[in-house]
Amino acid sequence: MQYQLLGVYPEQRFAPGIHAVDSSTACLYFGVMASTWLLENPPAGHMLDACAVARLLDAGDGRAPALEMLDFVNHVLPVEYISLVEYVDGVPSQVEGHSTGRHENITAECFSLYKSRFRQADELTRLAMRMVGETSMHAPVTALLYDVTDIPDQGWRDQIFVGRKLTGRLSFLYAPLPRTLFAINLYRDQHDGRFEEADVQRLLGLAPILKRAHRNALFAHLASPDARLRGLEIERALQRTAPLLSPRERAVCARIACGIGADGIAADLCIAASTVATLRKRAYAKLAIHGRQQLLRFIH
């Protein structure tokens, strides 16, 4: 496995087979440094709970794979929240958000505030803008760590992290399918403590496994008869509620609402992925929306 490391742990001793490499993606704002890694394969020697792995591999059977991811992660280390985010044209939309149940699930509320006010200050947004449309499903996972003290925007730090007693965020940015881009954001709170050096090493080893599990869940969802029936129901609903949409635009919107990525939609409709992007852009303009979450609210 290759780790790309910056900043927080300059004297970190890596596990055998893990090496720091030079980076050209430094995240430096107002003297604050975040940490970035590239992750290709799980490191040798990581012991994982067999039952947790089995549940993760079965994540595609359910409607909330991120919840299975959170459960899997908590078999290794305590993490309170997970936010699964998809980037469309560089703009993030939360697909799922969960807590362990110890505290209220604040992910939707915090993400809405983050997206409207603070996402431009986030290095993850900049990474996504560079990667979208260019990353293949075989590219390594990019990981980014923010400690609460690293948050470059005071409003973001005070209103979300300090206000909600969060101590840090570890993010995994990856392409589970061609021309799709997702981020898994793991948050710790004061009950869990900060992401310490040893904690980060263990969690980085999980990133490639989480990516593969999510990819399997997306494939399973694409092939599911329930997903196809759901897509047809949404298309019929849009025909009534959004008559300005063309049949192709309705078909694309229905599949987006079902969680299918651009490449899967292209294969399903026998069109190019670039055509999917064009149809999505036209449909969103007609509906006056931006992103999947607003599309879901429009539909429901």
Side-chain angles (χ1 to χ4, degrees), residues 8 14 60 231 249 257:
V8 172
F14 291 104
E249 290 166 350

Side-chain angles (χ1 to χ4, degrees), residues 9-21:
Y9 306 121
E11 298 179 358
Q12 180 172 1
R13 292 183 177 87
F14 291 104
I18 299 173
H19 306 283
V21 298

Side-chain angles (χ1 to χ4, degrees), residues 33-96:
M33 184 78 80
S35 295
T36 308
W37 295 262
L38 289 178
L39 308 145
E40 293 178 340
N41 296 297
H46 275 232
M47 301 299 293
L48 299 174
D49 183 276
C51 292
V53 173
R55 289 190 61 179
L56 183 64
L57 294 176
D58 289 338
D61 295 339
R63 294 186 178 274
L67 190 58
E68 300 296 344
M69 294 181 194
L70 182 61
D71 181 67
F72 171 69
V73 168
N74 273 273
H75 276 77
V76 179
L77 285 170
V79 171
E80 180 57 28
Y81 303 103
I82 187 170
S83 175
L84 179 62
V85 173
E86 181 177 14
Y87 288 86
V88 177
D89 297 328
V91 179
S93 293
Q94 183 174 272
V95 179
E96 288 184 55

Side-chain angles (χ1 to χ4, degrees), residues 15 21 25 33 55 85 92 96 108 110 122 168 188 195 214 230 253 265 273 296:
V21 298
T25 57
M33 184 78 80
R55 289 190 61 179
V85 173
E96 288 184 55
C110 288
D122 191 352
R188 275 187 153 182
F195 286 106
H214 187 207
R230 169 87 175 128
C253 286
I265 297 173
L296 291 174

Side-chain angles (χ1 to χ4, degrees), residues 144-162:
L144 178 74
L145 172 66
Y146 272 123
D147 185 82
V148 63
T149 59
D150 300 329
I151 303 300
D153 183 284
Q154 184 175 348
W156 180 20
R157 181 173 60 250
D158 292 345
Q159 294 182 47
I160 294 181
F161 279 79
V162 176

Side-chain angles (χ1 to χ4, degrees), residues 20 27 53 78 83 122 137 144 160 177 220 233 235 287 289 295:
C27 160
V53 173
S83 175
D122 191 352
M137 60 188 290
L144 178 74
I160 294 181
L177 296 172
E233 291 174 0
E235 282 191 61
L287 299 176
I289 61 173
L295 175 63

Side-chain angles (χ1 to χ4, degrees), residues 91-93 115 284 288-295 297:
V91 179
S93 293
K115 182 177 179 179
Y284 284 6
I289 61 173
H290 303 278
R292 182 172 180 268
Q293 290 299 110
Q294 291 187 13
L295 175 63
R297 286 195 290 270

